[in-house]
Amino acid sequence: MTPLDVIRRWIRENAEARDLSFAAWAKLAGLAPSTVQRVMATDYPFVPSTRTLAALAAAINVPPPPLGEAVEPVQLAAFHLPIRYEVGAGLWRAVEDLDHALGTAPVLPDPAYAAFPQWLERVVTDSMDRDYPVGSLLHVVDATEIGYAPRSGDHVIIERTRRGGGRVERTVKEIQMTPRGPEFWPRSNNPRWTEPIRLAENGEEDDTIVEIKGLVLGSYRRR
């Protein structure tokens, strides 16, 4: 039994005992709603950080998972990273459409973030085509797990949710810090994409929530 097997069993047993959905448990722990869901996905290869597990345990007042029961090592980083999402401004998806991998690509994990989840996202629209043409693969590390703090010039994956989280848009943007907080700018040759997104954009009006999900470490293009 691997550490990931032990963690999944711990999550399943505690969620069922308390009649908690995975999203509800994550919210109680102050984590992104998808945190537990992705760990439970069969194609997710990464062990959550001790910080994430401690937050989940504290939220329901139980001990962390008994990883001493694990007898097999876990593969923290593969030579082929999974392509987990398609990323593009204006591309709204139902949540259930985001729960499966889109293949893999021969990209090595960044050793500087070896302890944290890394994956690829395929660019499918042109809102950042000055840097990432359509078809590019973005190498991303989990922003929550690394405790990411926004910095001007960084490229990040942001996720906007609507309809109570039922509709999701993932897009890549460049951060610019302003007195009002971070703004997320397109870098596009298309005049359609000229306005920034803000963390609190329209949240009170249309139930839109904006979150930073990943830090872009690099990009790759097919020849």
Side-chain angles (χ1 to χ4, degrees):
M1 180 177 288
T2 70
L4 198 51
D5 293 330
V6 173
I7 290 167
R8 285 173 174 156
R9 184 185 65 186
W10 177 81
I11 287 173
R12 187 177 300 107
E13 290 176 353
N14 280 287
E16 290 176 354
R18 291 159 180 80
D19 196 26
L20 271 176
S21 70
F22 296 151
W25 188 0
K27 288 180 180 178
L28 283 176
L31 303 170
S34 61
T35 299
V36 180
Q37 292 172 324
R38 71 186 177 197
V39 173
M40 299 302 287
T42 56
D43 59 354
Y44 189 78
F46 303 107
V47 173
S49 69
T50 54
R51 181 178 60 182
T52 294
L53 295 173
L56 290 170
I60 58 173
N61 195 29
V62 298
L67 295 181
E69 296 181 10
V71 295
E72 297 178 21
V74 71
Q75 182 76 14
L76 287 177
F79 289 103
H80 283 64
L81 287 177
I83 304 170
R84 296 200 60 82
Y85 304 99
E86 290 181 332
V87 58
L91 186 68
W92 290 95
R93 299 284 182 83
V95 169
E96 56 266 24
D97 293 338
L98 303 176
D99 289 340
H100 61 280
L102 303 171
T104 62
V107 176
L108 289 172
D110 188 326
Y113 297 96
F116 302 100
Q118 299 177 44
W119 63 87
L120 304 172
E121 305 207 16
R122 182 183 293 118
V123 177
V124 294
T125 63
D126 59 0
S127 67
M128 284 287 286
D129 66 353
R130 294 181 188 175
D131 295 290
Y132 311 125
V134 172
S136 299
L137 292 175
L138 305 182
H139 184 175
V140 178
V141 63
D142 190 300
T144 302
E145 293 288 337
I146 66 173
Y148 175 72
R151 298 179 304 176
S152 289
D154 283 350
H155 289 184
V156 295
I157 302 295
I158 59 174
E159 187 173 275
R160 292 197 290 182
T161 60
R162 291 180 178 172
R163 300 182 185 175
R167 298 290 289 176
V168 177
E169 175 197 21
R170 293 178 73 89
T171 184
V172 56
K173 293 289 181 284
E174 181 176 303
I175 294 181
Q176 292 297 324
M177 300 302 295
T178 75
R180 295 182 296 174
E183 295 181 343
F184 305 92
W185 283 86
R187 297 293 181 238
S188 178
N189 296 306
N190 185 340
R192 177 183 179 187
W193 310 115
T194 58
E195 296 296 325
I197 295 172
R198 299 178 180 88
L199 280 177
E201 184 178 53
N202 299 326
E204 297 82 6
E205 298 179 8
D206 63 2
D207 193 30
T208 297
I209 298 173
V210 180
E211 298 178 288
I212 300 174
K213 290 294 190 179
L215 172 65
V216 177
L217 302 177
S219 66
Y220 305 87
R221 306 178 189 178
R222 294 187 183 279
R223 292 185 177 180

